Amino acid sequence: MQSLKKERLSIMVTDAINEIIRTEQLKPGDKLYSEKQLSAKLEVSRSSIREALRMLEVSGVVKVYQGKGVFINDMTSKRHPVKEWVVENADSLREHFEVRLLIEPHAAWVACERAEEKDLEALQSHYDAFVAHVGDGDVSKAIASDSAFHLAIAKATKNRTLTVLMRTMDQTLNEGWYASLHAPGRLQSSIIEHGRMLQAIKNHDSQEASKAMEDHLRNALSDIQLHYGTL
C-alpha cells in the first residue's frame, strides 16, 4: 500500500483501514492492528490513526475497547451504529456544540472584516466541493469538505490562535460533524446554510454571517436531538 503522507488524511486513512479490513478478510470479533502498527503500516501519525478509528467507530465498522484494542463490529446487525454512538457519547457531543457555538459565530463575524480575495476563493472552493460530494452521495468526503469550510472561515480571521483551535477541533472533535451530517436531511440543509454564510462573508456583513453560523450550528444540534432522541 502506498504512503499516505501527502494525502488528505481524514479521508485517506479511514479508507485505507477499511481496505485493510477488506483485503485481510477480517470478520466480526477479529482484532484489528494496534494504533502503533497501523501508524507504521500506513506511514502516518498515531493521532491520524486515532482520528480515523473514531470515525470508523461512529459508523459502526469497529469497536474500540480501552486497554484491549480495536475489534471488527458486526455490520449485518440491525442496530443503528451512529445512533448507538450518539447515545453513548451524548455528553461529549453536547460539549462539542457548546464550544463551537462559543467560537464560530464570532469567527464568522471577524472573517467578514478581514477576509481577502484568496480567503473568499477558498471558501467558495470548499463550498462547491461540499455540494458536489452531497450530490454524489459521498458522505465521508462531504464531511471533510464541511469541516474544511469551517476551518477556512477561521483562517480568514487572520487570528493564528483561533485557526489552531479550529484545526484542533477538526482533528479531535470531528465526531460532531460526523453525527450531525448523518441525520436525515442535514446534508441538504447544510448546503443552504453554508451558502448563506458564504454570501454574508462575501458581502462583508458581519452581523448576518455571525447569525448564519449560529443558526447553522443550532439547526445541526436540533437535528441530532430530533433524529437520535438524545442531547
Side-chain angles (χ1 to χ4, degrees):
M1 186 172 295
Q2 79 179 75
S3 168
L4 302 180
K5 284 182 177 178
K6 297 182 180 179
E7 301 292 346
R8 174 74 167 94
L9 296 183
S10 62
I11 297 299
M12 296 301 295
V13 177
T14 304
D15 289 346
I17 295 175
N18 270 320
E19 181 66 11
I20 288 172
I21 294 171
R22 188 187 68 80
T23 57
E24 300 194 12
Q25 300 182 349
L26 298 180
K27 302 292 190 297
D30 288 348
K31 189 174 184 179
L32 187 60
Y33 294 104
S34 67
E35 284 184 9
K36 183 177 180 180
Q37 290 171 322
L38 287 169
S39 177
K41 193 176 185 69
L42 300 179
E43 300 182 39
V44 296
S45 69
R46 291 182 68 170
S47 63
S48 295
I49 297 298
R50 280 192 291 271
E51 178 184 350
L53 290 176
R54 281 198 303 270
M55 292 301 95
L56 290 170
E57 184 173 31
V58 174
S59 60
V61 176
V62 303
K63 183 69 176 177
V64 180
Y65 295 96
Q66 295 299 323
K68 295 182 179 180
V70 183
F71 295 83
I72 308 303
N73 250 346
D74 183 3
M75 294 295 286
T76 62
S77 111
K78 294 183 179 180
R79 297 175 304 163
H80 192 306
V82 179
K83 182 174 182 177
E84 284 189 355
W85 183 92
V86 169
V87 172
E88 290 175 3
N89 295 272
D91 288 341
S92 295
L93 200 53
R94 191 182 304 110
E95 291 170 359
H96 166 93
F97 278 98
E98 185 175 285
V99 171
R100 291 183 66 187
L101 279 163
L102 287 170
I103 294 171
E104 292 198 71
H106 181 67
W109 182 294
V110 176
C112 286
E113 299 175 343
R114 300 177 183 173
E116 301 173 358
E117 188 60 34
K118 65 179 181 180
D119 300 310
L120 299 179
E121 290 173 358
L123 282 168
Q124 184 68 59
S125 176
H126 292 310
Y127 175 76
D128 292 342
F130 179 71
V131 173
H133 294 320
V134 173
D136 292 340
D138 194 326
V139 178
S140 294
K141 289 184 178 178
I143 290 169
S145 296
D146 180 280
S147 61
F149 180 84
H150 284 263
L151 181 57
I153 291 176
K155 289 179 178 178
T157 68
K158 313 303 181 186
N159 184 313
R160 287 176 294 179
T161 301
L162 177 59
T163 302
V164 169
L165 182 58
M166 281 300 299
R167 184 176 287 113
T168 301
M169 289 177 60
D170 177 40
Q171 294 171 346
T172 62
L173 299 175
N174 50 12
E175 298 96 331
W177 270 276
Y178 199 95
S180 66
L181 291 176
H182 271 79
R186 176 90 305 260
L187 284 166
Q188 291 72 22
S189 295
S190 290
I191 289 177
I192 297 171
E193 292 160 5
H194 280 194
R196 179 185 169 194
M197 281 185 274
L198 176 60
Q199 192 58 54
I201 294 172
K202 283 184 173 181
N203 293 341
H204 300 285
D205 186 340
S206 296
Q207 187 170 351
E208 167 64 7
S210 179
K211 184 65 167 61
M213 178 66 80
E214 181 178 351
D215 289 348
H216 171 58
L217 294 173
R218 292 195 183 281
N219 288 343
L221 182 58
S222 177
D223 283 351
I224 291 175
Q225 293 170 328
L226 179 65
H227 181 62
Y228 299 116
T230 188
L231 303 186

